[in-house]
Amino acid sequence: MEKTLVIEHDGEKAVVWETPQIFSENDYDYEVLEKALENTGGPLKEWRKKKYQEYKEWGFPRWKRCNLDGMSLPELSFKRIDLDVDISLLEKLDFEGAHRKFVLLGDTFFTDFRVYGDGKHMMRFDGDGIENVLVVVEKEAEIYKLSSTDRFRNTVMRILVKKNASLKFFNLDFFGNFSFDNVFIVLEEGARLVLRDFKAFGYRKTGHILVKLNKSSKADIKSFFYQNGSGITDLLYLMKFEGEDAEGKLKGNGVVDGAGKIVFRGILDVKRGSKNIVAEETEHTLVLSPDARMDAIPSLWVDENDVTASHSASSSSLDEDELFYLMTRGVDEIEAKKLIVRGVFNELLDELDESLKGEVENVVNRIV
């Protein structure tokens, strides 16, 4: 299993703090598992059984920065799933995620399981549910995933981009009370990744994206985010460099309003032997309210000398000079604020597939 944090140097390992857990009487039990098994065929049936044995040993996390007060699991409806999935590949791409409980939730109680390969694919998840997705890119793929949650959604994605292959991936997650998104991407030698991640609204929203870069691979990640009201969005982007001549760039841009809170953690983890790599991280948040909060936690862990690495994080309020300039050009104050805020997301909108642009624009237009 791919652990999130493994901090070591010269054979010495740091002790990573373990998150306290909450064991709920309302957690899914064997009775729910039996319903899932009745609607599952092929190797995934045994996979569910195996993962349940580990699932029941874990409680839900008692996070400090993103408490889960009020969370309740929805009643699940299982549709028939008969897929000939390579279980050894699922095991190879197993990972810890934001918390092991949520990855196991997706592996045990998935209500939808999808497998994708090369080509262009549109995934849409509406309402509540638990999804599990496996992607294997042999040559080239373009994937758009749009989730619009009501009360609860948990998604687990495992992605393997093979040698010299390329993936363009748009991960869009809007609304909902509780939304958990865990993604593990492995880039083999020479593989290329372009990832655009956008999370907006919602009461509690977490995103965990781990990218493992091997020799000569490249990852271009841009994160866009918005939160308001009393909502909390907790994001972690981790790039692990495990080969020479790799390049990973992370850029975050977002807006927080009301009494909302954003937690943005970007980690660049350069392992020994990863010579001649480029690792960059920048993040900026526009803060629209005195009650809004932004916690930026950039981290740079380097266990190799011959590297180029940098990281930065910043936040600011609305630029009064920019606002005044727009108003002197005949734009009223409300519209001027909208134009400034929209500018944060223009880069994302420009890159979107035309079939999704209107829908995402509607979300952006609701921000101010």
Side-chain angles (χ1 to χ4, degrees):
M1 180 186 70
E2 188 74 25
K3 298 281 289 183
T4 300
L5 300 180
V6 180
I7 308 172
E8 57 185 344
H9 179 71
D10 286 340
E12 300 290 332
K13 284 189 177 182
V15 177
V16 179
W17 183 75
E18 293 187 4
T19 304
Q21 300 178 47
I22 305 168
F23 290 87
S24 170
E25 294 181 356
N26 297 319
D27 198 354
Y28 296 134
D29 56 16
Y30 191 77
E31 184 177 336
V32 180
L33 177 66
E34 285 185 319
K35 294 179 181 178
L37 294 174
E38 289 172 2
N39 290 281
T40 310
L44 285 176
K45 188 168 187 175
E46 292 302 316
W47 169 260
R48 281 197 198 263
K49 290 180 182 178
K50 178 181 177 181
K51 290 302 175 180
Y52 178 71
Q53 296 306 312
E54 186 181 353
Y55 176 85
K56 65 183 182 180
E57 300 299 321
W58 285 86
F60 288 97
R62 190 187 297 274
W63 284 324
K64 290 183 179 180
R65 293 188 177 91
C66 182
N67 69 73
L68 302 181
D69 295 347
M71 186 189 82
S72 61
L73 298 175
E75 184 175 346
L76 299 179
S77 176
F78 298 99
K79 65 180 182 180
R80 184 70 189 178
I81 297 175
D82 289 290
L83 292 172
D84 186 18
V85 177
D86 184 353
I87 299 300
S88 66
L89 182 56
L90 292 179
E91 293 284 7
K92 178 182 177 181
L93 297 176
D94 199 11
F95 66 116
E96 184 177 20
H99 190 271
R100 184 63 175 162
K101 182 71 170 182
F102 290 110
V103 174
L104 291 168
L105 176 63
D107 286 347
T108 308
F109 295 104
F110 55 86
T111 56
D112 194 352
F113 197 108
R114 303 188 188 185
V115 180
Y116 295 97
D118 289 356
K120 184 176 180 179
H121 308 284
M122 294 280 184
M123 285 185 278
R124 183 179 293 272
F125 300 113
D126 295 318
D128 298 334
I130 300 174
E131 290 88 32
N132 204 311
V133 180
L134 174 64
V135 179
V136 179
V137 183
E138 301 280 353
K139 293 183 178 180
E140 184 176 1
E142 186 174 341
I143 294 177
Y144 295 84
K145 180 174 80 69
L146 193 150
S147 299
S148 183
T149 305
D150 291 334
R151 189 164 61 90
F152 183 94
R153 180 165 299 283
N154 186 80
T155 304
V156 174
M157 290 191 71
R158 295 173 170 90
I159 301 175
L160 175 62
V161 186
K162 292 197 171 183
K163 185 176 180 179
N164 296 325
S166 64
L167 170 65
K168 187 176 183 181
F169 177 31
F170 284 78
N171 190 33
L172 313 171
D173 182 7
F174 307 138
F175 312 116
N177 286 349
F178 293 88
S179 175
F180 307 94
D181 192 32
N182 288 278
V183 182
F184 179 31
I185 304 173
V186 174
L187 302 179
E188 291 188 349
E189 181 180 346
R192 302 289 186 268
L193 168 69
V194 174
L195 170 59
R196 303 295 181 255
D197 191 47
F198 182 25
K199 290 180 168 51
F201 299 99
Y203 178 62
R204 295 291 184 267
K205 191 174 291 289
T206 70
H208 174 101
I209 295 181
L210 166 57
V211 180
K212 197 171 181 178
L213 295 96
N214 287 287
K215 182 179 179 181
S216 300
S217 60
K218 289 187 178 181
D220 171 15
I221 302 174
K222 292 181 181 177
S223 167
F224 302 88
F225 46 87
Y226 173 75
Q227 190 53 275
N228 69 345
S230 59
I232 300 174
T233 296
D234 190 344
L235 303 172
L236 183 143
Y237 301 91
L238 168 57
M239 285 193 278
K240 289 186 178 181
F241 296 82
E242 299 192 354
E244 297 180 351
D245 301 314
E247 181 180 300
K249 296 182 178 181
L250 168 63
K251 180 181 179 182
N253 278 296
V255 179
V256 60
D257 198 1
K261 176 182 175 182
I262 297 286
V263 180
F264 188 99
R265 285 171 285 186
I267 303 175
L268 307 177
D269 185 6
V270 183
K271 302 298 186 182
R272 178 152 309 179
S274 301
K275 295 181 179 296
N276 197 34
I277 65 96
V278 176
E280 297 178 4
E281 175 194 350
T282 61
E283 182 277 327
H284 181 76
T285 300
L286 181 61
V287 181
L288 299 181
S289 164
D291 296 322
R293 180 176 172 183
M294 172 63 193
D295 291 347
I297 312 171
S299 299
L300 184 58
W301 303 338
V302 181
D303 198 20
E304 182 56 66
N305 292 321
D306 188 13
V307 303
T308 301
S310 63
H311 64 140
S312 65
S314 62
S315 63
S316 67
S317 56
L318 278 173
D319 188 324
E320 293 298 329
D321 290 337
E322 188 177 2
L323 195 61
F324 177 75
Y325 174 83
L326 290 170
M327 292 174 67
T328 60
R329 296 300 186 271
V331 181
D332 65 45
E333 184 175 358
I334 293 177
E335 286 303 314
K337 287 182 178 179
K338 285 184 177 181
L339 285 173
I340 294 171
V341 169
R342 183 185 173 89
V344 175
F345 304 100
N346 273 344
E347 188 174 5
L348 170 70
L349 294 171
D350 289 343
E351 292 188 63
L352 273 174
D353 187 271
E354 287 297 326
S355 64
L356 291 174
K357 186 171 290 187
E359 190 169 353
V360 177
E361 278 185 326
N362 290 337
V363 175
V364 172
N365 289 337
R366 292 179 58 172
I367 288 177
V368 176

